[in-house]
């Protein structure tokens, strides 16, 4: 909110201290009643924006009357407490200054600077001229060492700073980290363990540790990773699938290969060795151009899954951007096990792309009289050529409702999966569209034949299809 206030503005204008009460009140009303931004007011009046912001919030909190009070003389105890809060607490110096009601956020900064210069000791200057016999220079570091309270404060501050270096977030320190921090303090300050424990015990907001726990934490050996064979196998599965497997699929793969493991065990193990599955990032190509042909009713109603193959099919077109060029994929997905029945890849999202995909599917699958084919309301699926092809094979057409992309959620899920696992953040792997098309073909083969699914209880789409046909 506020940096240390400057004595003179860079424009040579009035400083905050030169503003009278009426001017301060006008500025506050401009901010509070008129809603003018602080930066605008500062620019208009040629004032430091940070100092102005602090003044406004001070008036907002305590009222304009805070500037009517006489200059306050702060006690040594008050300064010590404020400095320690600033150095060891979680609040910023600006927020703490506001809480303490200081008229400038630079006051506390000055206290801290003087505190460090005097060997972590608060020195209250006496008014008037200093007698000659008291003007002898004194080493501030030596003065700090002779003051037990200053030494204790310095140790507590160093303790907090040491912990901050060892942990990502204060409050999450382990016994090992606390013990290491205390050991460093003992070496730096040349004090005993009992002294350190006594000093930090007086501040309940500081992490505490018992004497016995301290020695136990230092004596405890660093734990290595258990089950090296299992760890090696997890890495092998993760690398083979190019990071596409999270802990759930790795567990299913391990169970399939005869390992006795649990999800909790593998999740913890992957966390320890730093393995994390790819996360999905959605982008969508839309072929919707309004009603330009005959629309079909929604026969799926988001009941996507089928108990037998070739009962429910889904399709859509997805767009890939690479080096300023575009590539389009049009697959057919079976609702039984999620198998990709057929697909076509092209530079253009036209009817040739869709009809090529259909012809490949019809060549492999003959009996489709009971099949429902679901799509969105894309222009290709409203065309007479597409609808005629479905009619010739006895397929019933179904369409999502307008503006309801989740009506075709199973297809959308596949596209998100494919792009996350082989395209997003990996574009630099492909130098041209030919390489990308080949990678898509390889992924679809991998997806059908090797990639297991939790929903299919650890089976691949092809394995699930074959099992469904036998049962």
């Amino acid at each position: 909110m506020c940096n240390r206030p400057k004595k003179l503005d860079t424009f040579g204008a009035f400083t905050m201290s030169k503003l009278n009460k009426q001017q301060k009140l006008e500025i506050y009303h401009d901010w509070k009643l008129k809603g003018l931004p602080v930066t605008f007011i500062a620019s208009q009046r040629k004032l430091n924006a940070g100092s102005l912001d602090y003044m406004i919030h001070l008036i907002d909190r305590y009222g304009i009357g805070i500037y009517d009070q006489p200059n306050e003389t702060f006690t040594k105890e008050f300064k010590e407490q404020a400095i320690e809060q600033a150095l060891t607490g979680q609040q910023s110096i600006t927020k703490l200054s506001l809480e303490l009601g200081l008229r400038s956020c630079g006051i506390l900064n000055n206290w801290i600077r003087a505190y460090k210069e005097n060997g972590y000791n608060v020195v209250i200057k006496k008014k008037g001229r200093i007698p000659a016999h008291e003007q002898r220079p004194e080493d501030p570091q030596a003065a700090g060492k002779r003051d037990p309270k200053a030494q204790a404060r310095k140790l507590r501050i160093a303790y907090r700073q040491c912990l901050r270096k060892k942990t990502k977030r204060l409050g999450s320190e382990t016994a090992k980290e606390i013990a290491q921090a205390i050991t460093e303090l003992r070496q730096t300050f040349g004090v005993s363990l009992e002294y350190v424990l006594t000093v930090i015990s007086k501040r309940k907001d500081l992490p505490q540790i018992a004497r016995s726990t301290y020695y136990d934490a230092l004596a405890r050996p660093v734990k290595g990773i258990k089950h090296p064979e299992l760890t090696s196998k997890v890495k092998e599965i993760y690398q083979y699938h190019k990071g596409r497997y999270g802990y759930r699929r790795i567990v299913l793969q391990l169970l399939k290969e005869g390992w006795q493991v649990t999800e909790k065990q593998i999740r913890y193990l992957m966390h320890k060795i730093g393995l994390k599955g790819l996360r999905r990032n959605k982008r969508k190509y839309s072929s919707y151009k309004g009603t330009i042909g005959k629309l079909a009713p929604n026969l799926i109603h988001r009941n996507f899954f089928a108990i037998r193959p070739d009962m429910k099919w889904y399709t859509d077109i997805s767009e890939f951007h690479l080096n300023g060029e575009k590539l389009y994929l049009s697959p057919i997905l079976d609702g039984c096990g999620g198998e990709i029945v057929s697909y076509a890849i092209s530079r253009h999202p036209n009817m040739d792309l869709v009809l090529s995909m259909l012809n490949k599917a019809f060549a492999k699958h003959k009996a489709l009289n009971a099949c429902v084919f679901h799509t969105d309301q894309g222009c290709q699926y409203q065309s007479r050529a597409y609808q005629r092809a479905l009619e010739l094979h006895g397929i019933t057409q179904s369409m999502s409702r307008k503006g309801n992309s989740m009506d075709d959620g199973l297809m959308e899920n596949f596209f998100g999966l494919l792009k996350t696992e082989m395209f997003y953040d990996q574009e630099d792997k492909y130098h041209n569209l030919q390489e990308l098309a080949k990678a898509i073909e390889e992924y679809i083969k991998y997806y059908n034949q090797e990639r297991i699914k939790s929903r299919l209880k650890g089976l691949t789409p092809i394995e699930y299809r074959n099992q469904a046909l036998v049962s």
Side-chain angles (χ1 to χ4, degrees), residues 337-355:
E339 174 199 0
I340 300 301
V341 176
S342 72
Y343 64 91
I345 301 173
S346 173
R347 295 284 302 275
H348 306 284
N350 50 25
M351 279 305 302
D352 290 339
L353 173 69
V354 175
L355 294 176

Side-chain angles (χ1 to χ4, degrees), residues 290-304:
T291 304
I292 60 174
K294 183 181 177 183
L295 299 181
N298 182 2
L299 303 178
I300 296 297
H301 302 294
R302 302 192 186 181
N303 183 19
F304 300 117

Side-chain angles (χ1 to χ4, degrees), residues 348-462:
H348 306 284
N350 50 25
M351 279 305 302
D352 290 339
L353 173 69
V354 175
L355 294 176
S356 173
M357 168 197 71
L358 288 177
N359 291 333
K360 291 178 183 178
F362 296 154
K364 292 195 300 183
H365 301 264
K366 304 296 182 182
L368 298 172
N369 292 329
C371 183
V372 175
F373 204 161
H374 186 80
T375 65
D376 59 17
Q377 293 187 15
C379 58
Q380 296 90 342
Y381 314 123
Q382 295 184 40
S383 71
R384 183 57 190 155
Y386 172 82
Q387 294 175 345
R388 178 66 177 162
L390 299 192
E391 290 171 3
L392 289 174
H393 290 82
I395 298 173
T396 305
Q397 187 179 16
S398 172
M399 278 188 174
S400 301
R401 295 165 295 171
K402 179 181 177 181
N404 286 269
S405 61
M406 288 312 298
D407 283 356
D408 199 19
L410 206 61
M411 199 70 245
E412 298 294 340
N413 180 70
F414 170 75
F415 285 143
L417 196 67
L418 178 143
K419 290 187 177 182
T420 299
E421 295 189 350
M422 59 77 57
F423 185 66
Y424 290 151
D425 299 324
Q426 304 176 54
E427 290 91 337
D428 57 341
K429 289 167 54 177
Y430 313 113
H431 300 96
N432 50 53
L433 294 182
Q434 289 74 22
E435 289 187 7
L436 176 59
K438 184 179 179 182
I440 293 172
E441 292 173 355
E442 290 175 352
Y443 179 85
I444 291 175
K445 182 180 179 181
Y446 160 79
Y447 172 85
N448 277 339
Q449 300 178 5
E450 296 186 58
R451 190 184 187 282
I452 61 177
K453 291 190 172 188
S454 302
R455 182 175 66 83
L456 305 182
K457 298 181 180 179
L459 298 178
T460 66
I462 291 293

Side-chain angles (χ1 to χ4, degrees), residues 183-344:
T183 301
E184 289 183 21
L185 292 181
R186 292 178 61 189
Q187 294 171 351
T188 303
F189 288 83
V191 293
S192 66
L193 173 63
E194 286 71 18
Y195 176 76
V196 177
L197 294 179
T198 302
V199 169
I200 64 176
S201 68
K202 293 180 180 178
R203 286 289 301 270
K204 300 303 179 184
D205 59 323
L206 293 175
Q208 310 288 324
I209 191 172
R211 189 174 184 276
S212 57
T213 308
Y214 168 80
Y215 285 113
D216 181 62
L218 291 181
R220 193 182 304 153
V222 178
K223 290 184 178 179
I225 297 175
K226 294 181 180 179
H227 312 297
E229 291 183 8
L230 177 60
T231 302
S232 177
K233 186 63 181 177
V234 168
K235 287 181 179 179
E236 180 186 327
I237 295 171
Y238 182 85
Q239 291 165 1
Y240 177 81
H241 293 277
K242 301 177 181 178
R244 296 163 181 163
Y245 275 18
Y247 71 90
R248 291 184 181 89
R249 282 191 175 82
I250 288 182
V251 167
L252 290 172
Q253 185 64 43
L254 288 169
L255 292 173
K256 200 172 179 180
E257 297 182 17
W259 291 80
Q260 297 298 317
V261 293
T262 64
E263 284 193 355
K264 184 178 179 181
Q265 180 185 7
I266 300 304
R267 183 172 68 241
Y268 175 78
L269 180 59
M270 289 181 69
H271 172 72
K272 292 293 287 184
I273 60 180
L275 300 182
K276 188 182 295 184
L278 294 171
R279 296 196 175 184
R280 192 167 305 183
N281 182 13
K282 294 184 179 180
R283 300 176 201 168
K284 187 178 182 296
Y285 158 79
S286 175
S287 60
Y288 179 71
K289 294 182 180 178
T291 304
I292 60 174
K294 183 181 177 183
L295 299 181
N298 182 2
L299 303 178
I300 296 297
H301 302 294
R302 302 192 186 181
N303 183 19
F304 300 117
F305 306 113
I307 58 174
R308 302 280 295 176
D310 301 333
M311 287 182 64
K312 295 178 182 179
W313 280 4
Y314 303 87
T315 190
D316 199 354
I317 298 174
S318 189
E319 182 180 70
F320 295 78
H321 291 256
L322 183 70
N323 301 329
E325 297 182 293
K326 296 179 182 179
L327 193 69
Y328 296 89
L329 168 67
S330 178
I332 295 176
L333 186 143
D334 194 311
C336 179
E339 174 199 0
I340 300 301
V341 176
S342 72
Y343 64 91

